[in-house]
Amino acid sequence: MTPLGYRRLILTRHAKSSWDDPAMEDRDRPLNARGRAAALELGDFLASRGLEPEEVLCSSATRTRETWDRVERAVIETRPEVSYVEDLYHAAPEMMLQVLRTASAPTVMMLGHNPGIAEFAHRLPARALHDPDFRRFPTCATLIVDFQIDSWDEVQPGQGSVLDFFTPTRRG
């Protein structure tokens, strides 16, 4: 639960996707086995810390939808409102900010793609996070950042306080 006068963003890059079918459209690529495991690990991480979204803004691509589906399995306390947003597919940071400003719940999870999501993550905190994984924002990387604002339409880059940063355990 986010305190009054605060907003919390859980910003997630989709988990590792499959390149098994080179003819497949990019937006249709599913998660591979490592990605499926990483998304479940992220869900467990969020649930164990009580970091459960009340609203989800998810790119419409298959790999982001599958990432959310696996994370959701561990999210027991809440059943957030989920929106699959076409504008988040390979969105630039400016578009991500625009979409975030439409959110209404205090705790929002946004799932998207690199390179835009890494750049967006770097712009949000007031203080830089010194972590080599944060710089490259690998698949399933997740930034949890708090803002002292009453409404998402007030959010600005450079206002956030980093609460946590997650990257999955490397497998395979």
Side-chain angles (χ1 to χ4, degrees), residues 94-117:
E94 296 77 16
M95 177 55 71
M96 292 180 168
L97 182 61
Q98 185 177 330
V99 171
L100 180 58
R101 286 179 174 154
T102 69
S104 57
T107 302
V108 173
M109 183 174 199
M110 179 180 280
L111 294 98
H113 310 264
N114 256 354
I117 201 160

Side-chain angles (χ1 to χ4, degrees), residues 60-80:
S60 57
T62 299
R63 60 192 177 274
T64 48
R65 294 170 74 106
E66 285 187 9
T67 300
W68 166 245
D69 288 345
R70 299 227 172 226
V71 167
E72 184 181 31
R73 292 178 189 185
V75 179
I76 300 164
E77 297 297 317
T78 62
R79 287 292 171 233

Side-chain angles (χ1 to χ4, degrees), residues 111-164:
L111 294 98
H113 310 264
N114 256 354
I117 201 160
E119 192 174 334
F120 188 47
H122 290 113
R123 292 180 184 185
L124 294 174
R127 291 184 175 182
L129 185 62
H130 298 290
D131 180 313
D133 281 335
F134 183 68
R135 271 191 279 276
R136 59 186 196 90
F137 221 76
T139 53
C140 214
T142 300
L143 173 69
I144 299 100
V145 60
D146 287 345
F147 299 89
Q148 289 185 332
I149 55 176
D150 293 315
S151 172
W152 282 113
D153 61 7
E154 300 171 27
V155 71
Q156 295 290 334
Q159 286 182 326
S161 298
V162 175
L163 180 66
D164 214 335

Side-chain angles (χ1 to χ4, degrees), residues 35-65:
R36 290 188 297 271
L40 288 172
E41 184 182 346
L42 171 59
D44 289 342
F45 170 85
L46 294 174
S48 73
R49 287 161 176 76
L51 299 170
E52 298 187 0
E54 298 161 288
E55 182 176 356
V56 175
L57 302 170
C58 183
S59 162
S60 57
T62 299
R63 60 192 177 274
T64 48
R65 294 170 74 106

Side-chain angles (χ1 to χ4, degrees), residues 14 20 22-24 27 31 43 53 89 98 104 137:
H14 64 80
D20 288 347
M24 184 176 284
R27 73 174 47 256
L31 297 181
Y89 177 67
Q98 185 177 330
S104 57
F137 221 76

